[in-house]
Amino acid sequence: MQDRNEIGLAIVGCGTIGRIRAVLARAYPGVGWIGLCDLKSDIGECLAKDIRADFFTNDFRELLQRPEVTSTIVATDENFHFDPTMLAIDMGHSLFIEKPLATDARQSAQILSAIESAGLDAVVGYTQRFRRRFLAVKERIVTGQIGDVHTVVTRAFMNRMVPIATIRRTQDRATLTPMVVSGTHSLDMSLWLMEGKTPVSVYAQSTDKVLGEWGTRDSTLGVFTMDDGTIFSMNISWALPEVWPGAVYGIEIGIVGSQGVIDIEDTHRDLVMATNVAQGAGYAPEGYKAPDRHVDFLTSYPPGDLHGGQIWGPMREETNAWYQRLFTGQDTPHATAAEGHRNLLLTMAMDMSAKRGEAVPLPPDPSELMDELT
């Protein structure tokens, strides 16, 4: 029988995602203690009341140094992962870090090195790995059902609500690009399905006709060459109009192998609602007011869907699987810290290639990336 290790959980960041994971933590029987931290007292105290948290503070140091804490979720804005993550590592906690590890490639490398040196269990939030369709595809590939994969084509379309809502919160925008913030999900999925193949070069191009005023790009298109000759195209545009029916994004992936093909249509156009009742934003952090939308691709919000006041779908599966991983030691499909760091370097390499107008050899040096991109 597997050992049971009661979880003392710290959650740093009580926004949309931190709230989802906290609510699920309160319902998980293996979580014995929950502490919360957020710079905004109103948001944090509201969540603390809703889930009957054991502790709340505005200072992540005060939370992470509590003796009850054994595991930490870092769910702050993208630019503020480094300090709480490094302290959690120093405290020896198991970690769940929302992607990316950091928006500075040098800090990401430092985080990974610290995790590996400490021998800690750390995962990164790539929620789509927990959707049934992608797990089914992964199983077919690893069992050789389409032979050796040699060509992969990935395309992501996103509503511009995400970049506007994300970027408006900070002036530090140089690395908040479509690939680094959002394309990383479809990149991670594609590389997970191509497990064992290593990218050796990438050539990419970008455009910024719409979102340039916000300090980011509209679209990035790139082609990777893998170490065995496999080619992989990765394309994303997060500049679609705010009234686009997709609540967040849709993905299409084509995977061609020596014995077959898998074609994934994940645009959510199979479930459409049109209504006179105005629909809000699929992704609506504090302070962001999206225009009214009257057509929706249902199920296109990546974390899942609400029913009865609860979230159902991949983020529930991902979160509860992590609690089970901690409580029982069960293996799970979570992205590792090493994979999270790899994904950051590759997305930034695409931005570097687009800036240079030439192919970039992989893996890139983190310091070179930051010197050039910032």
Side-chain angles (χ1 to χ4, degrees):
M1 183 175 179
Q2 293 173 312
D3 292 334
R4 300 293 192 266
N5 301 298
E6 186 173 83
I7 301 164
L9 181 65
I11 300 178
V12 183
C14 299
T16 303
I17 303 304
R19 169 173 278 274
I20 291 172
R21 301 203 193 278
V23 169
L24 293 170
R26 176 47 72 203
Y28 190 82
V31 176
W33 187 93
I34 303 175
L36 305 176
C37 173
D38 201 282
L39 292 176
K40 297 180 178 179
S41 294
D42 56 340
I43 292 176
E45 289 174 353
C46 177
L47 177 58
K49 179 181 179 182
D50 289 346
I51 68 163
R52 305 182 309 282
D54 299 284
F55 180 75
F56 171 74
T57 178
N58 300 119
D59 183 354
F60 71 84
R61 297 169 187 84
E62 183 182 13
L63 172 60
L64 298 185
Q65 291 172 350
R66 295 272 307 201
E68 298 93 342
V69 179
T70 63
S71 306
T72 294
I73 294 175
V74 178
T76 62
D77 287 351
E78 289 87 348
N79 284 338
F80 302 104
H81 288 182
F82 182 74
D83 288 338
T85 300
M86 291 300 291
L87 179 55
I89 294 169
D90 288 343
M91 299 302 298
H93 299 166
S94 299
L95 278 156
F96 189 114
I97 307 161
E98 300 297 343
K99 61 81 194 163
L101 289 181
T103 54
D104 184 313
R106 296 162 299 194
Q107 291 183 342
S108 179
Q110 189 176 343
I111 287 172
L112 176 60
S113 177
I115 288 170
E116 292 181 340
S117 295
L120 298 176
D121 183 51
V123 304
V124 183
Y126 283 98
T127 304
Q128 298 306 293
R129 289 191 181 202
F130 288 81
R131 294 184 59 200
R132 284 179 57 191
R133 60 175 46 203
F134 293 124
L135 289 165
V137 170
K138 175 77 169 179
E139 182 68 15
R140 299 309 189 278
I141 292 174
V142 299
T143 55
Q145 299 302 299
I146 63 169
D148 183 31
V149 172
H150 57 77
T151 306
V152 177
V153 179
T154 301
R155 190 214 76 178
F157 268 1
M158 292 188 60
N159 192 303
R160 74 179 66 160
M161 291 185 290
V162 172
I164 292 175
T166 300
I167 291 168
R168 64 185 294 276
R169 300 196 297 263
T170 178
Q171 292 300 313
D172 187 10
R173 302 172 176 179
T175 57
L176 297 180
T177 65
M179 276 306 307
V180 170
V181 176
S182 292
T184 183
H185 284 288
S186 43
L187 175 90
D188 176 75
M189 178 54 61
S190 300
L191 292 176
W192 185 55
L193 296 177
M194 288 188 282
E195 188 173 359
K197 298 177 185 289
T198 302
V200 294
S201 70
V202 63
Y203 174 72
Q205 291 187 301
S206 294
T207 183
D208 63 356
K209 290 185 177 180
V210 175
L211 295 172
E213 65 177 294
W214 289 91
T216 190
R217 301 173 181 86
D218 303 337
S219 311
T220 301
L221 285 69
V223 177
F224 288 89
T225 301
M226 314 300 279
D227 56 349
D228 64 350
T230 297
I231 53 174
F232 161 42
S233 76
M234 171 63 232
N235 308 318
I236 181 170
S237 176
W238 67 350
L240 276 68
E242 290 169 282
V243 295
W244 173 249
V248 178
Y249 62 71
I251 300 173
E252 293 178 279
I253 305 176
I255 307 168
V256 184
S258 57
Q259 300 296 321
V261 60
I262 297 177
D263 191 21
I264 307 166
E265 196 277 324
D266 194 46
T267 63
H268 310 283
R269 297 176 191 174
D270 57 333
L271 191 55
V272 180
M273 179 178 73
T275 173
N276 291 326
V277 178
Q279 302 298 298
Y283 179 74
E286 182 194 17
Y288 175 67
K289 177 64 172 69
D292 291 341
R293 299 158 65 249
H294 293 274
V295 179
D296 237 347
F297 293 158
L298 302 184
T299 75
S300 60
Y301 182 52
D305 298 281
L306 286 173
H307 173 69
Q310 299 182 62
I311 191 80
W312 299 90
M315 187 163 285
R316 187 185 190 96
E317 297 286 343
E318 176 192 40
T319 307
N320 284 335
W322 185 62
Y323 298 146
Q324 187 167 341
R325 178 187 181 108
L326 300 179
F327 190 52
T328 70
Q330 180 171 315
D331 189 31
T332 64
H334 289 93
T336 64
E339 290 170 327
H341 178 62
R342 174 207 64 190
N343 293 347
L344 179 69
L345 294 187
L346 294 182
T347 56
M348 286 187 165
M350 292 182 74
D351 291 338
M352 175 185 279
S353 175
K355 183 175 181 180
R356 289 181 177 180
E358 62 184 35
V360 169
L362 301 172
D365 176 78
S367 294
E368 183 182 5
L369 282 173
M370 298 310 299
D371 289 343
E372 187 157 340
L373 295 178
T374 61

